[in-house]
Amino acid sequence: MDLLPDTGDRVPPPAKGVSIPTAGQVVIPSMPAAAAGLLGLPLLGWFLPLDVGEGWWFLSALAIMASTFLVLYLVQAPRPRFDKQVSQERWSWSLAYVAKHRSVSTDPGVRTAAALAACSEIEFFIVHVGIVVGGVLGNVIRPEFLWLSFVGAATGAALVAAFRLRRSWIYLRLVHS
């Protein structure tokens, strides 16, 4: 029994049996979520009746995107919990530092938090690319709908994730080396 007061500077022990996934363990499980976005939007354009209003189309497309992220949540590789005591500045700096210097933080809390952020960036890139391609295919099938609103937002998110993809991949590779 621990009788000492908690000062907040201790690192919580890692969860038993749960480790940080590798880049491959992040990519493969996120493929079904990307497929949900890739297939869901064209199927929406194919099966939605011609006389449906823009409001119903918008809600249906939003539901498909929400289900895509629900699938991503359900198929994610198991990972440790995020330590809320690690500030965002510390783990984001650690991710930015790894691209130039090829070394990770020695603090296990920062290392885990940065690795979890790297996993999320890789997953978001894959899912947003699936949504963009699905939106483009949906525009080919049904050009009268406003696909640009979904494709534009997903393209912006995919570009942001694409710029962060290299550092995330390097970080996960260095954590596992």
Side-chain angles (χ1 to χ4, degrees), residues 34-75:
L38 177 74
L39 298 175
L41 291 173
L43 288 175
L44 173 70
W46 186 266
F47 288 113
L48 210 60
L50 292 173
D51 58 348
V52 70
E54 286 183 15
W56 285 108
W57 172 84
F58 183 78
L59 286 176
S60 301
L62 197 60
I64 288 173
M65 290 181 68
S67 65
T68 299
F69 285 102
L70 177 66
V71 169
L72 176 65
Y73 175 75
L74 293 174
V75 299

Side-chain angles (χ1 to χ4, degrees), residues 89-131:
E89 292 85 20
R90 290 179 66 199
W91 64 258
S92 62
W93 181 84
S94 182
L95 270 175
Y97 183 80
V98 76
K100 292 181 184 176
H101 301 286
R102 302 286 197 260
S103 65
V104 296
S105 174
T106 57
D107 181 13
V110 173
R111 189 171 52 239
T112 302
L116 294 176
C119 291
S120 296
E121 288 173 356
I122 292 171
E123 288 170 342
F124 286 159
F125 174 74
I126 292 169
V127 169
H128 282 104
V129 166
I131 290 172

